[in-house]
Amino acid sequence: MLQRTPRDIVLDTDAEYQRLAEEHSKYEAELRKLTAGPYLSSEDLLEEIKLKKMKLYCKDEMERIASRVQRARAAHSQ
């Protein structure tokens, strides 16, 4: 049986975390599609930067939610 990580539990139980995870995946797919070509135009480079920033924002928010849930679980187990 696979061990579930705290992030797996948060993904199953927190709607905002789920939404952010979906957005993060969407941005990742868009980045892969954008960078698949042989070269990037200046517009593509700007889009790449924007997508990376949006992806990082989602990841940071997911980390914040996961930390909050872990602190709450720790407080309940004491």
Side-chain angles (χ1 to χ4, degrees):
M1 184 160 105
L2 291 175
Q3 184 73 10
R4 288 173 50 88
T5 66
R7 281 175 181 50
D8 292 335
I9 295 166
V10 174
L11 184 59
D12 289 346
T13 59
D14 190 289
E16 179 67 5
Y17 191 94
Q18 292 168 0
R19 185 187 67 74
L20 289 164
E22 288 172 12
E23 281 187 32
H24 186 272
S25 294
K26 181 184 81 170
Y27 297 141
E28 178 63 34
E30 288 179 32
L31 265 172
R32 276 196 302 272
K33 195 173 10 173
L34 180 71
T35 58
Y39 71 94
L40 297 176
S41 69
S42 56
E43 292 86 11
D44 290 342
L45 288 171
L46 290 173
E47 183 67 12
E48 179 185 30
I49 291 167
K50 182 178 120 186
L51 288 169
K52 285 181 176 180
K53 285 181 180 181
M54 291 164 58
K55 198 175 126 188
L56 183 59
Y57 171 79
C58 288
K59 185 175 180 183
D60 287 346
E61 288 298 300
M62 290 164 62
E63 288 293 322
R64 185 185 57 75
I65 292 168
S67 293
R68 184 190 71 219
V69 169
Q70 283 180 302
R71 283 193 308 272
R73 287 182 185 270
H76 281 92
S77 66
Q78 291 180 352

